[in-house]
Every structure is written in C-alpha cells, then in structure tokens.
Amino acid sequence: MANEKIPYKIYLTEEEMPKTWYNVRADMKNKPAPLVNPGTLQPMKAEELAPVFCDELIKQELDNDTRYYPIPEEILSFYKMYRPSPLVRAYCLEEKLQTPAKIYYKFEGNNTSGSHKLNSAIAQANYAKKQGLRGVTTETGAGQWGTALSMACAYLGLDLKVFMVKVSYEQKPFRREVMRTYGASVTPSPSDTTNVGRKILAEHPDTTGSLGCAISEAVEVAVSNPGYRYVLGSVLNQVLLHQSVIGCETKIALDKYGITPDIIIGCAGGGSNLGGLISPFMGEKLRGEKDYRIIAVEPASCPSFTRGVYAYDFCDTGMVCPMAKMYTMGSGFIPSANHAGGLRYHGMSPVLSQLYHDGYMEAVSVEQTKVFEAAEYFARTEGILPAPESSHAIRVAIDEALKCKETGEEKTIVFGLTGTGYFDLVAYQKFNDGLMTDSIPTDEELAAYRQTLPPQPKF
Ligand SMILES: *Cc1c(COP(=O)(O)O)cnc(C)c1O
C-alpha cells in the first residue's frame, strides 16, 4: 500500500487493534534502576510494596523481562469504547507551514476524561477489582488522571478518593465536578485529613500544593484503610506498560501504509504518554533493527531531563513512597506560580531516565509562551483545541517541520497529541489577555532544590 494516498485519519479495525502491551524493559540492556526502600536503601521487594500497590501491578512493576503482556479481555472491551484513537495526517498543518515534512499526530483526547490517562486508569482499576479491593486512592494535578480514574472506577464499581493539588482544585472546578459526577470524593491537597497534609500545612500554611504532596496524602490514606490501595497515573513502569497501547496502535497504523517515521516527539511530565508512544519504536532501536530520533519535550519551568540530575530521589514531597532513580529537580521542587502548562512533576519515569542517560533519546525544554503560540496555531489550523501539555509536543513538531522547510528534507514526524484543552481555559485566558509570562528557574534555585536529594544507595 506504500504509494496509496494516506487518509486524513488512519483507524484500525477491531481485528487490527493490539491485543498485547509491549514491555520495553525486556529489550533494554541496562535495565531501569530498581525502586528503593528509603529506610534500608535496598531494592524494594514485592512484599514491601504490597501494602501500597495492587498485587498484579507490583508484578508488572518489577518485571523487566516479559516482552508482551496479553491485555485482559475486560480491558480490551473497555478500550473498544474509545479506541483506537485516530492517527491523523496533519495535511492542513503541513500546508499552512509550507513544509515538505509529513506530520502525523496520535490524538488521545477523544474520550470524556480528555487524555491518554484512561489507558492506564482502566488497567489499574481492573486489577484492583480482581484483587477484591473496596477502592483506591490517588492524587491528581491538573485533574486529567483523577477524571480518567473516576471513569474507570465508576465502570467497575470501585470507591475512589482523590487528592487534588489545591491550586488546580480552585482553578479547575469543572474537572472536580466531572470526578464527582463519576462518584469520586475529591479533597484539596494539602488537607487536614492526613498526618502528612497537616505537617506540610503547619510548615507552609500558604502553599498551593504540589503533586508530590498530594501523592503523600493519597498513599497515607491507602495504607491506613483496609481494602484500599494507591494507584499512580504516570512515572511508574507499569503505567508505561499500559500506555504502550498508544505506540502499538501507532505502529500498526503506520505499518499498514508502509510509513516509517524519522522523528517521534512527545511531551514529558512523568513520562507515561511519551514512554507509551515510543515503546515499540524504541524496542526496534534497542534491538538494532531501526533508528529513530526520539525527542522528549518538557517545560522550561520544570526541566527534569535538561537541567535535573540523574539520581535516586523521593517520588513524593512527604517522603513516604519508595525512592526511584530518575532525572529529578529534587522532590521539594514546585514550579513557579505563573506556570500554566502542566507537566509540573519534579521527577521522570525511571525507564525513560535510563534510556535518556544511555543516549537513546533527546530532550528539549520550551517556554510556555512559545507553547501557547503553537497551541493557538494548531487550533486554528487543525481544528483541535489542544491541552497545554500536548502543545509542548506541537511546538517542537512545528519547529522540526520548519527546519525541513529550510533544508528541503521530507522527514516524517510523528507526535503525541495527548489531550484536549477544554479544561485549561484559565491558562488560555491568560495567554489571550497577553498576561502569560515565562519564568525559568535560576541555577542557584535548582542547586538549592538539589540539596533535598536523599543519601544515595550503594549496591
Ligand atoms: C498527564 C498528562 C500529560 C503528562 O503526563 P505523562 O505521564 O508525561 O504523559 C500530558 N498530556 C496530558 C493531556 C496529560 O493529561
């Protein structure tokens, strides 16, 4: 089919849809560093993780060897409600940019929760249900993960307690109400309902909260209530595994038309959408079968890859979670209050961190005003109002397409369009009113946050 005209949207039939998740760790020579117990500084064993996480998810978290995981039937049925997500050939964008590059994006915003997070939410909720649990707890920043998980929990009849970063709780009442409509209870974090929340409030009474802090609260509630476990929407190896459905669909769709990408681009917060999108392509790269340029895009105000350090760090501010080796700003890091574009987590997926460290991918940081310019351009050209997070990838896809215009190269660019911007209109309002500014942390500020890194394990 190589010479056939490529349709605007490449869909897959039910037959063609992936039936397995792909675990990229199986093909990594240098495996991601193990989670570590902050008390003993030794790798976490499954038994130690059991009070926090569901049993099957612990297995997936620790499994660096199984290449393919069959997607359970119940999850496949749920996926069918909103998958496959379209792979769109951005003909309009190419035309407007007058670029010889061929641009594709995989759009994950076509479900009520509005992002890719539903792919892992339904998987995690399904394993919690199978274990016979009553419910799960979690944190949410901008609200996409909480919304996705509330949909999954409602579908399966599980209770859900969400700790929502206070600034988002106040600025994004609509997300909150979607979660409540699906039956979740939503508490602004830090709150006075947990020990760790009360401690943080006592030290920083005016804090607007952070993801790390909300994680600590959610973990505390999970371990102190029988029948509950904690679930996390990004960063963890298991989440990348579930999100590989994005990359597997993309690869099947491209293969159908004989298309080989040159550049694959994704935004990186905790790394789950990027990790999922690139997984099968990275697998080929790791096995020496193909080569791709893979680019992670992060905000200049929260630049874990480009200005962080590769070290063991706490995953949460309250220092109750296992430690992970990752590119990190330090767990106390909170991006400047004017940062509106999401992707505000201080750390990064251990899998992507190892791959980046080993030179298998690149990273760039972009300023939020440039990100919103790209978002506006994309909305007016391709019709979709993109999430600010996704717009980081749009920015760099446009920049790469413009480079092709200069050199005349007909590169094929694929990027992840992770979600819609319907719930980010406060940020768009700031941009439209000309009030959006950039704030980039200084080297001194970053050095101060690095002081909070814990003692490094020696094994
Ligand atoms: C959560 C989110 C992200 C960032 O999370 P990753 O784990 O890095 O993928 C990006 N885009 C959208 C729309 C999100 O909701």
Side-chain angles (χ1 to χ4, degrees):
M1 285 203 224
N3 293 321
E4 202 176 309
K5 176 151 165 69
I6 310 298
Y8 267 81
K9 286 185 186 167
I10 309 179
Y11 279 109
L12 302 179
T13 64
E14 270 184 36
E15 303 283 78
E16 292 169 327
M17 275 172 62
K19 307 290 184 299
T20 58
W21 291 307
Y22 165 64
N23 180 7
V24 71
R25 286 169 281 162
D27 283 309
M28 291 169 68
K29 233 189 285 142
N30 297 331
K31 305 294 183 192
L35 294 173
V36 152
N37 181 322
T40 63
L41 294 186
Q42 290 302 308
M44 289 294 266
K45 298 195 192 75
E47 313 86 85
E48 296 173 286
L49 291 166
V52 182
F53 297 119
C54 306
D55 296 342
E56 175 61 26
L57 293 167
I58 294 171
K59 214 182 102 208
Q60 296 180 0
E61 189 63 29
L62 301 178
D63 182 354
N64 287 339
D65 303 309
T66 308
R67 191 168 274 114
Y68 295 104
Y69 269 84
I71 305 173
E73 216 37 66
E74 314 83 74
I75 300 175
L76 280 178
S77 328
F78 189 86
Y79 277 172
K80 279 179 199 160
M81 293 199 288
Y82 70 100
R83 306 202 70 81
S85 69
L87 180 71
V88 183
R89 172 75 184 268
Y91 281 115
C92 301
L93 182 62
E94 291 170 19
E95 172 74 26
K96 180 95 175 274
L97 290 170
Q98 288 290 298
T99 174
K102 299 178 178 66
I103 309 173
Y104 296 83
Y105 57 90
K106 180 75 168 161
F107 182 46
E108 291 291 319
N110 264 342
N111 66 74
T112 297
S113 72
S115 83
H116 65 285
K117 293 206 171 64
L118 195 52
N119 303 331
S120 185
I122 187 61
Q124 298 193 44
N126 178 66
Y127 294 119
K129 179 79 182 177
K130 276 202 182 139
Q131 197 176 320
L133 298 177
R134 279 189 58 203
V136 289
T137 70
T138 198
E139 80 297 333
T140 196
Q144 290 99 324
W145 168 243
T147 312
L149 192 62
S150 66
M151 286 175 70
C153 287
Y155 180 75
L156 296 167
L158 275 176
D159 184 42
L160 170 60
K161 301 182 196 303
V162 179
F163 287 87
M164 185 168 187
V165 177
K166 192 187 278 169
V167 60
S168 301
Y169 184 91
E170 284 159 5
Q171 284 185 358
K172 302 195 172 182
F174 300 130
R175 280 267 179 216
R176 187 178 78 209
E177 294 315 316
V178 179
M179 288 186 258
R180 291 179 57 203
T181 302
Y182 282 95
S185 79
V186 188
T187 308
S189 167
S191 76
D192 60 6
T193 67
T194 63
N195 292 328
V196 61
R198 284 187 290 271
K199 181 161 170 274
I200 291 169
L201 280 174
E203 285 164 15
H204 310 280
D206 297 324
T207 178
T208 53
S210 70
L211 265 184
C213 165
I215 294 175
S216 304
E217 290 203 272
V219 172
E220 183 181 319
V221 171
V223 298
S224 50
N225 284 284
Y228 282 80
R229 291 294 185 280
Y230 166 71
V231 293
L232 180 60
S234 184
V235 185
L236 296 176
N237 301 343
Q238 57 185 273
V239 183
L240 262 73
L241 175 69
H242 307 145
Q243 294 296 357
S244 71
V245 70
I246 305 173
C248 293
E249 281 183 8
T250 303
K251 182 132 196 345
I252 295 168
L254 291 175
D255 284 350
K256 239 168 61 159
Y257 288 90
I259 304 160
T260 307
D262 298 293
I263 310 176
I264 305 170
I265 301 167
C267 64
S272 74
N273 86 81
L274 177 66
L277 173 66
I278 67 174
S279 274
F281 302 96
M282 183 59 87
E284 292 182 309
K285 189 164 168 156
L286 288 164
R287 296 189 301 269
E289 297 164 8
K290 290 239 173 81
D291 198 15
Y292 304 100
R293 258 188 87 198
I294 293 172
I295 310 176
V297 190
E298 57 185 19
S301 49
C302 189
S304 338
F305 270 134
T306 50
R307 295 177 70 202
V309 287
Y310 188 38
Y312 269 98
D313 196 9
F314 296 103
C315 295
D316 61 326
T317 324
M319 307 175 185
V320 297
C321 288
M323 303 196 311
K325 188 173 183 189
M326 56 187 175
Y327 280 84
T328 178
M329 323 282 303
S331 64
F333 181 81
I334 296 177
S336 153
N338 83 350
H339 173 62
L343 310 174
R344 39 175 59 240
Y345 186 60
H346 68 271
M348 185 54 65
S349 141
V351 171
L352 292 188
S353 293
Q354 184 68 52
L355 290 167
Y356 177 67
H357 188 70
D358 290 342
Y360 287 103
M361 50 188 273
E362 307 164 32
V364 291
S365 74
V366 286
E367 292 162 19
Q368 67 172 353
T369 48
K370 298 278 190 306
V371 168
F372 278 83
E373 279 165 20
E376 182 193 81
Y377 190 91
F378 185 82
R380 292 179 186 183
T381 312
E382 284 286 322
I384 294 172
L385 180 75
E389 291 90 342
S390 322
S391 306
H392 288 72
I394 299 175
R395 172 76 268 164
V396 173
I398 290 178
D399 290 346
E400 289 296 330
L402 289 174
K403 279 186 209 160
C404 290
K405 184 175 173 177
E406 271 173 31
T407 61
E409 285 172 292
E410 291 183 27
K411 288 192 176 151
T412 297
I413 299 170
V414 174
F415 72 90
L417 190 70
T418 51
T420 71
Y422 290 130
F423 291 101
D424 298 284
L425 294 170
V426 172
Y428 274 100
Q429 180 181 20
K430 233 168 141 182
F431 178 71
N432 292 332
D433 288 343
L435 299 176
M436 182 165 281
T437 53
D438 294 310
S439 115
I440 300 172
T442 63
D443 289 339
E444 290 70 34
E445 281 165 339
L446 293 188
Y449 283 115
R450 252 175 240 152
Q451 300 292 321
T452 63
L453 285 179
Q456 297 296 299
K458 299 180 185 62
F459 52 77

